[in-house]
Amino acid sequence: MGKEVILNIIREVSKFDFVDYPNKKKAPKDAKFKIVFYKPPPKSKTNIPKKFQGVQYYASKNEAKKALEERHKLTIYLKEKKKKDMIGNTRNPNIHKVGVKFGIDKEAVSKEKKQAFKKKINRAVKLLKDGNSKIEAQYIINKELNDRKDDNKSGTADYIRLAEEKLK
């Protein structure tokens, strides 16, 4: 069971809305309905007017419906504007190519990683044949390749296990 959605829904005000809490907006006396709109983080730049941020109170359901419709239209307008801003964006000339994201060719990167992993396995086979323990072999390989990311992991690396299987 997930969290109850409260954003952009017209609800009746409760007695708690009229209580004066220090960090909460108090409802006006004539308020009958409220809508909780998304509120951007403080000091962030936004195109959303204050009247569509946080909890807003309304005297009638029609006022609330009208405000919700306006907010919905604003959302559509802002999405279209953002879409138009991205047309002609040349920050990444390869963005339209499949397999290329944010200027990184994933296929080439994965080939490099596979080759590096095979090198580790072959080096591990050699070190294990020479009589080094699994931990010693892993330490030597990490030291040779300046591979610091494996230093924080506990246990035996996958390439050591695969090298051990090759020796059997």
Side-chain angles (χ1 to χ4, degrees):
M1 191 148 76
K3 236 180 175 182
E4 183 187 350
V5 179
I6 62 166
L7 291 178
N8 300 336
I9 295 173
I10 299 171
R11 296 183 295 156
E12 288 187 28
V13 291
S14 67
K15 62 181 179 183
F16 299 108
D17 290 302
F18 297 103
V19 177
D20 198 11
Y21 292 110
N23 60 346
K24 189 175 161 261
K25 181 178 175 182
K26 186 178 176 183
K29 287 183 167 64
D30 65 336
K32 301 277 187 247
F33 295 92
K34 70 177 178 180
I35 302 175
V36 179
F37 293 110
Y38 167 76
K39 187 170 185 175
K43 297 183 181 172
S44 65
K45 190 175 176 186
T46 181
N47 292 325
I48 302 169
K50 291 279 186 201
K51 68 178 184 176
F52 295 130
Q53 292 182 21
V55 181
Q56 298 297 326
Y57 295 98
Y58 303 95
S60 70
K61 194 162 190 165
N62 284 339
E63 276 183 43
K65 281 182 183 178
K66 196 175 176 182
L68 199 55
E69 284 173 18
E70 278 185 58
R71 178 63 177 98
H72 183 66
K73 286 177 187 174
L74 178 67
T75 301
I76 292 168
Y77 170 76
L78 291 174
K79 281 182 182 177
E80 289 299 316
K81 184 180 175 194
K82 187 174 185 181
K83 219 185 277 183
K84 285 178 187 171
D85 286 347
M86 294 306 285
I87 293 173
N89 181 345
T90 57
R91 285 179 283 176
N92 183 359
N94 298 319
I95 201 83
H96 63 280
K97 293 182 184 175
V98 177
V100 176
K101 186 175 182 184
F102 303 117
I104 299 169
D105 188 344
K106 286 187 174 185
E107 198 172 303
V109 170
S110 63
K111 273 185 187 176
E112 284 177 29
K113 284 184 179 179
K114 285 177 186 175
Q115 288 173 343
F117 192 73
K118 283 181 183 177
K119 276 185 185 177
K120 284 182 178 182
I121 293 171
N122 293 335
R123 181 70 175 124
V125 167
K126 212 178 229 182
L127 290 168
L128 292 172
K129 274 185 184 176
D130 291 345
N132 290 301
S133 71
K134 291 187 275 185
I135 298 297
E136 289 171 335
Q138 185 172 333
Y139 179 78
I140 292 168
I141 292 169
N142 289 343
K143 197 115 179 138
E144 287 174 354
L145 301 174
N146 289 327
D147 198 356
R148 295 279 169 237
K149 64 182 176 215
D150 281 349
D151 286 350
N152 298 333
K153 293 181 182 176
S154 62
T156 309
D158 291 337
Y159 58 87
I160 298 290
R161 287 194 199 101
L162 292 170
E164 194 177 37
E165 283 179 25
K166 275 190 170 184
L167 289 173
K168 289 181 183 178

